[in-house]
């Protein structure tokens, strides 16, 4: 099916939200390098957990599974600089103006082809930075915990961007961030999860496992209320009526509570919505571990940026 027709028929338009999220993270990186200017002792990392190939091309759809999102017609065919190239640009500009940049760049990506494309782009645009880049191919749920474990987080600090298409990130990966002294910007796939959580009956079995993998346990079942009812079609196995409150509030509150179990400070989220106001992602920033001195600027800058795009 052609992308335009698919966009119209699916009624799940993507759009400016994906540019907003990239601008937001780019602004955070600029502020972060300024805050870290006086902390010469710290070795700075930029970690891109779903790095892509360095550009975002609005081809029609975003993602490859049943939860993919179609873009608005006017964006199709356009390009924007992706998160990995933006991080290099911010760091390079900062260094050229006599300030500091990131010492290490870690790009994690499932697709070997995309990583090769990213490497070529860096060779073309930032050849002097290539030696600082690590290209890590594989499923992020394997590569991210391993990378986080390999960094001692004593004199190491950094920023991480977690930008999946949909529900690729497992809770075990989120848990692996515990204790990392790294400021994390993460997109939580609100729209895809809502589609797995029907309003008037429990999710089908195939989604149950996915939800438990995403949230780490089956606490998501508490999003459903069970009441004695009369309509047979709405009954669960015990003869009770099952329903979930519509909208995003309860799901967001639950997600935020889950993230707080691994993080000292959680900011946001800002909800990223389609032009037809359908929820797509919740953008969080979180600091798994940090001193009060680190938490203060983290919170102030994060809240300011998240508010500006909400
Ligand atoms: C939303 S895109 C990332 C875009 C990127 N942040 C940018 O700004 O250009 C998601 C990326 O994750 C990759 N991906 C999908 N599943 C993955 C997985 N399990 N592990 C690692 N990368 C994955 C896709 O190939 C895709 O490049």
């Amino acid at each position: 099916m052609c992308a335009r027709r698919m966009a119209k028929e699916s009624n799940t338009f993507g759009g400016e939200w994906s540019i907003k999220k990239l601008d937001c993270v780019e602004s955070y990186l600029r502020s972060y390098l300024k805050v870290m200017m006086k902390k010469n002792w710290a070795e700075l990392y930029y970690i891109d957990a779903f790095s892509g190939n360095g550009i975002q091309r609005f081809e029609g759809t975003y993602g490859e599974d049943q939860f993919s999102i179609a873009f608005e017609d006017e964006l199709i065919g356009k390009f924007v600089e992706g998160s990995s190239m933006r991080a290099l640009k911010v760091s390079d500009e900062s260094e050229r103006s006599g300030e500091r940049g990131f010492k290490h760049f870690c790009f994690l990506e499932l697709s070997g082809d995309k990583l090769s494309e990213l490497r070529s782009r860096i060779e073309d645009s930032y050849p002097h930075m290539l030696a600082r880049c690590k290209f890590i191919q594989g499923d992020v749920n394997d590569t991210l915990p391993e990378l986080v474990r390999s960094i001692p987080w004593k004199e190491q600090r950094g920023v991480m961007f977690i930008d999946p298409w949909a529900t690729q990130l497992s809770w075990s990966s989120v848990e692996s961030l515990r204790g990392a002294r790294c400021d994390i910007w993460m997109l939580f796939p609100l729209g895809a999860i809502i589609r797995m959580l029907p309003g008037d009956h429990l999710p089908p079995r195939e989604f149950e496992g996915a939800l438990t993998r995403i949230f780490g346990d089956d606490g998501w079942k508490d999003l459903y209320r069970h009441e004695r009812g009369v309509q047979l079609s709405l009954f669960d196995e015990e003869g009770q009526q099952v329903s979930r409150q519509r909208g995003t509030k309860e799901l967001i509150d639950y997600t935020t509570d889950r993230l707080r179990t691994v993080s000292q400070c959680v900011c946001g989220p800002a909800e990223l919505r389609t032009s037809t106001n359908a929820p797509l992602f919740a953008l969080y920033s979180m600091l798994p571990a940090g001193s009060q001195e680190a938490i203060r600027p983290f919170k102030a800058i994060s809240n300011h940026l998240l508010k500006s795009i909400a």
Side-chain angles (χ1 to χ4, degrees), residues 257-273:
D257 285 348
R258 290 296 291 144
L259 295 177
R260 287 202 175 113
T261 65
V262 297
S263 247
Q264 224 174 318
C265 182
V266 177
C267 296
E271 275 188 58
L272 301 175
R273 290 177 170 259

Side-chain angles (χ1 to χ4, degrees), residues 105-116:
F105 294 85
C106 303
F107 300 118
L108 281 58
E109 168 60 54
L110 186 62
S111 154
D113 289 347
K114 286 190 181 176
L115 272 187
S116 303

Side-chain angles (χ1 to χ4, degrees), residues 22 50 52 56 62 82-83 109-110 114 138-140 163 165 168:
L22 291 171
F50 291 85
Q56 281 205 2
Y62 186 78
S83 51
E109 168 60 54
L110 186 62
K114 286 190 181 176
D139 183 334
V140 88
D163 182 23
W165 271 331
Q168 286 83 11

Side-chain angles (χ1 to χ4, degrees), residues 70-237:
F71 284 102
E72 285 170 354
D73 279 3
E74 56 268 29
L75 278 178
I76 293 174
K78 294 203 172 140
F79 294 86
V80 291
E81 210 174 24
S83 51
S84 36
M85 294 305 279
R86 286 175 185 234
L88 288 152
K89 176 184 70 185
V90 168
S91 187
D92 193 42
E93 286 174 2
S94 178
E95 285 170 23
R96 282 176 195 278
S97 65
E99 301 188 348
R100 68 182 306 193
F102 292 98
K103 183 167 181 198
H104 306 279
F105 294 85
C106 303
F107 300 118
L108 281 58
E109 168 60 54
L110 186 62
S111 154
D113 289 347
K114 286 190 181 176
L115 272 187
S116 303
E117 279 181 52
L118 176 60
R119 179 190 276 275
S120 305
R121 280 207 170 85
I122 299 172
E123 271 164 0
D124 287 347
S125 305
Y126 304 102
H128 56 292
M129 296 171 89
L130 194 61
R132 291 193 241 165
C133 298
K134 210 168 163 183
F135 301 89
I136 305 169
Q137 194 205 335
D139 183 334
V140 88
N141 296 304
D142 300 322
T143 56
L144 185 64
E146 203 180 313
L147 175 67
V148 172
R149 258 196 316 272
S150 72
I151 302 173
W153 303 115
K154 288 191 175 117
E155 292 176 345
Q156 293 74 16
R157 299 289 184 272
V159 181
M160 183 186 298
F161 185 35
I162 302 180
D163 182 23
W165 271 331
T167 57
Q168 286 83 11
L169 192 75
S170 299
W171 185 256
S172 54
S173 297
V174 179
E175 269 206 317
S176 76
L177 304 173
R178 204 191 290 275
R181 308 202 76 166
C182 191
D183 302 12
I184 294 166
W185 283 77
M186 181 172 84
L187 267 98
F188 177 78
L190 211 51
I193 304 246
I194 285 173
R195 280 189 269 166
M196 288 198 242
L197 293 167
D200 55 7
H201 57 89
L202 288 168
R205 288 230 184 282
E206 71 262 29
F207 290 162
E208 279 195 12
L211 288 161
T212 299
R213 175 183 61 77
I214 294 161
F215 289 111
D217 61 28
D218 64 1
W220 55 268
K221 288 187 177 163
D222 295 343
L223 292 167
Y224 286 89
R225 284 182 193 78
H226 298 251
E227 290 161 27
R228 293 234 154 264
V230 284
Q231 276 178 276
L232 205 60
S233 61
L234 300 181
F235 281 17
D236 68 4
E237 281 143 18

